[in-house]
Amino acid sequence: MKNSTQQLTLLISQLQAIAQSGKFYTKDVYDKERYEQLEEVSKKLVAQLTTATPEQLQLFFDQDTGYVTPKVDVRAVTFKNDKILLVQEKSTQTWSIPGGWADIGYSASEIAVKETQEEAGIKVEPKRLIAVYDMAKHQYHKQSFNYIYKLFFECVPENTPIHSGVETSNVAFFSLEEALKLKLSLNRNLPADLRMVFKCRQTQHWETKFD
């Protein structure tokens, strides 16, 4: 069950999406003014819940135009000798499955390849889609007011050495037991995610999980 802050965050995100989409599509000048007022209310609510500066709030609210859609976070699940590849973030010193935001011009599987090479220095080939999750329906420690879908791809690594990247300080392969003892980046992956991907690894005919 979500706590009150998570529920309020989701409601504010929905409010902001209604305001932004309404501003874009309405042809009525008075309706546009009302949607702008609604957006201002959303900004004030966000300001009450976060330590974001006015400039950061403006950037968040102005980053998209038109109809608001979810952002996509892609994770590349890579195994070697039945151990999973994890990277340690420089900024937080927490561990996560390699991945990041989907970029324009790349397919989701191409993002899995790109992020793994950037964060772990290794080339991989996506094999199958493990899961598509709605982040709001799970217990992630959300750090953004964006609405987010998470995609997990199982990938096969090339026989090349791993090394840290610009945003990572350490890279290694771990058993499930070892991984669960790490300080995980809980906005990127949960212990339940690790258990799920290891189960997928042991299952030949895996059915993609989705919300």
Side-chain angles (χ1 to χ4, degrees):
M1 181 178 293
K2 300 182 182 67
N3 61 38
S4 58
T5 300
Q6 289 175 315
Q7 291 174 331
L8 187 56
T9 298
L10 177 57
L11 290 173
I12 294 172
S13 297
Q14 291 174 323
L15 192 66
Q16 186 268 333
I18 292 169
Q20 185 172 312
S21 299
K23 280 198 314 177
F24 184 80
Y25 284 105
T26 186
K27 303 299 182 183
D28 187 282
V29 64
Y30 297 107
D31 282 344
K32 183 176 182 180
E33 183 178 347
R34 294 186 186 97
Y35 284 124
E36 288 173 346
Q37 291 173 343
L38 187 61
E39 187 173 71
E40 285 302 313
V41 171
S42 300
K43 288 181 182 179
K44 291 177 181 178
L45 289 171
V46 171
Q48 292 293 317
L49 283 176
T50 71
T51 57
T53 65
E55 292 77 16
Q56 290 171 326
L57 288 175
Q58 195 65 40
L59 179 63
F60 166 71
F61 280 92
D62 292 346
Q63 64 184 333
D64 289 318
T65 58
Y67 194 84
V68 179
T69 58
K71 292 179 71 69
V72 179
D73 176 63
V74 179
R75 296 287 140 185
V77 179
T78 304
F79 286 95
K80 184 177 181 180
N81 298 326
D82 292 324
K83 290 190 173 185
I84 190 171
L85 176 67
L86 298 178
V87 297
Q88 188 175 37
E89 304 286 337
K90 278 185 179 178
S91 59
T92 62
Q93 294 301 299
T94 54
W95 291 85
S96 66
I97 298 168
W101 295 123
D103 294 322
I104 301 298
Y106 293 84
S107 69
S109 63
E110 288 171 338
I111 290 295
V113 175
K114 174 176 174 288
E115 291 291 332
T116 306
Q117 187 158 20
E118 289 178 355
E119 296 182 359
I122 187 173
K123 292 184 179 180
V124 298
E125 180 182 353
K127 178 182 177 182
R128 55 183 172 178
L129 182 61
I130 300 174
V132 180
Y133 280 168
D134 179 336
M135 192 170 177
K137 298 185 185 300
H138 299 267
Q139 299 300 314
Y140 296 103
H141 290 194
K142 192 175 179 183
Q143 296 182 343
S144 167
F145 278 86
N146 293 301
Y147 202 88
I148 301 167
Y149 290 164
K150 296 182 77 72
L151 277 60
F152 294 85
F153 284 94
E154 183 179 3
C155 300
V156 177
E158 290 188 1
N159 189 24
T160 53
I162 57 176
H163 61 79
S164 57
V166 174
E167 298 179 351
T168 56
S169 57
N170 202 355
V171 185
F173 286 93
F174 298 92
S175 68
L176 177 58
E177 292 73 18
E178 292 168 337
L180 292 175
K181 294 177 182 178
L182 297 172
K183 181 182 178 183
L184 297 176
S185 176
L186 297 177
N187 62 307
R188 294 179 174 87
N189 41 218
L190 300 172
D193 296 332
L194 296 179
R195 294 187 182 96
M196 173 189 65
V197 299
F198 269 90
K199 185 176 180 181
C200 173
R201 172 69 171 175
Q202 298 163 0
T203 305
Q204 183 176 1
H205 301 293
W206 177 262
E207 292 187 6
T208 302
K209 304 294 183 183
F210 56 88
D211 294 316

